[in-house]
Amino acid sequence: MITKRIIPCLDVKNGRVVKGVNFEGLADVSSPVSLAKYYSENGADELVFYDITASAEGRALFTDALREVASQIFIPLTVGGGINTVEDFDRVLKCGADKVSVNSGAIRRPELISEAAKLYGDQCVVISADVKRVDGVFRVFAKGGRENTGMEAISWIKHCVELGAGEVVVNSIDTDGVKGGFDLEMLRAVSDAVNVPVIASGGAGCIAHFTELFQEIPDVDAGLAASIFHFGEVKIPDLKKTLAAEGICVRI
């Protein structure tokens, strides 16, 4: 049985961790360095660090905070935001990232996925897809959820995996920050379409939502969340104890 991963997400803007609802109304939370250290010491399996305005602002990812975060933690670190070239991959990996997440950069130039996979290996390339229902169809959004690409999401994600992405993060804009539960319909569609690890993101509001996720969609590899961890509404050790009691395999 594959061990399920619990992954806090640090959405970083101007060097601070922020959180909003449906990708809007961002509020300041904390220092990324102190939060990252806390999670590393308190049961997180991995950590995701997103520079959430890098693509929209047309700039490279800030590396100062990233370098400091990487120096403070002892769990795998995935980093994204403003990743447009293999040079961006190289720069972020040299700052201490273990995996690199691409979204808008891959939408602009899908070959980036295959180029990076050849250089660094499939396991290093994560496709992050911001997905929202538009007239009943799953559509891919770019630039931090600001821009509808018009692309159908499931076929896009499948194409990215065929190009060499070794992991998929599915960010449901519809459920982001709402705390009503993960988007099971969307996640099931993605899990059925690809044969690489799928990370569920958007909608977690309580421990029961993680239990529901892993029981309803056993193929999902990890649950990612932000605000419920940042504000102490769910503590990762408590979450893992509950999951283990439900027969879900986790690292305690």
Side-chain angles (χ1 to χ4, degrees), residues 42-90:
N42 285 274
D45 296 298
E46 297 187 14
L47 196 65
V48 169
F49 178 111
Y50 285 140
D51 184 338
I52 60 170
T53 56
S55 290
E57 293 171 4
R59 59 169 172 79
L61 181 143
F62 289 132
T63 52
D64 291 350
L66 168 59
R67 197 175 280 109
E68 199 171 348
V69 164
S71 72
Q72 294 292 320
I73 67 173
F74 302 96
I75 53 177
L77 175 63
T78 298
V79 176
I83 306 296
N84 294 296
T85 65
V86 289
E87 288 77 21
D88 290 329
F89 267 80
D90 188 62

Side-chain angles (χ1 to χ4, degrees), residues 208-232:
H209 290 152
F210 288 87
T211 306
E212 178 186 50
L213 169 70
F214 295 129
Q215 288 178 339
E216 291 290 324
I217 316 176
D219 288 340
V220 165
D221 287 73
L224 180 150
S227 57
I228 59 165
F229 295 146
H230 299 341
F231 298 118

Side-chain angles (χ1 to χ4, degrees), residues 120-142:
Y120 304 110
D122 293 9
Q123 80 289 340
C124 182
V125 183
V126 180
I127 182 67
S128 176
D130 296 334
V131 184
K132 184 177 182 178
R133 290 167 181 79
V134 179
D135 297 325
V137 178
F138 295 133
R139 297 291 183 193
V140 177
F141 278 66

Side-chain angles (χ1 to χ4, degrees), residues 239-250 252:
L239 168 57
K240 287 189 166 185
K241 280 178 193 165
T242 301
L243 291 173
E246 293 284 344
I248 296 163
C249 187
V250 290
I252 300 292

Side-chain angles (χ1 to χ4, degrees), residues 10-19 23-27 49-62 80-84 103-104 108 130 142-146:
L10 307 181
D11 291 324
V12 180
K13 180 181 181 183
N14 299 327
R16 298 284 293 177
V17 177
V18 296
K19 191 64 193 124
F23 283 34
E24 296 178 349
L26 299 176
F49 178 111
Y50 285 140
D51 184 338
I52 60 170
T53 56
S55 290
E57 293 171 4
R59 59 169 172 79
L61 181 143
F62 289 132
I83 306 296
N84 294 296
N103 186 335
S104 296
R108 274 191 295 273
D130 296 334
K143 296 183 179 176
R146 295 170 182 83

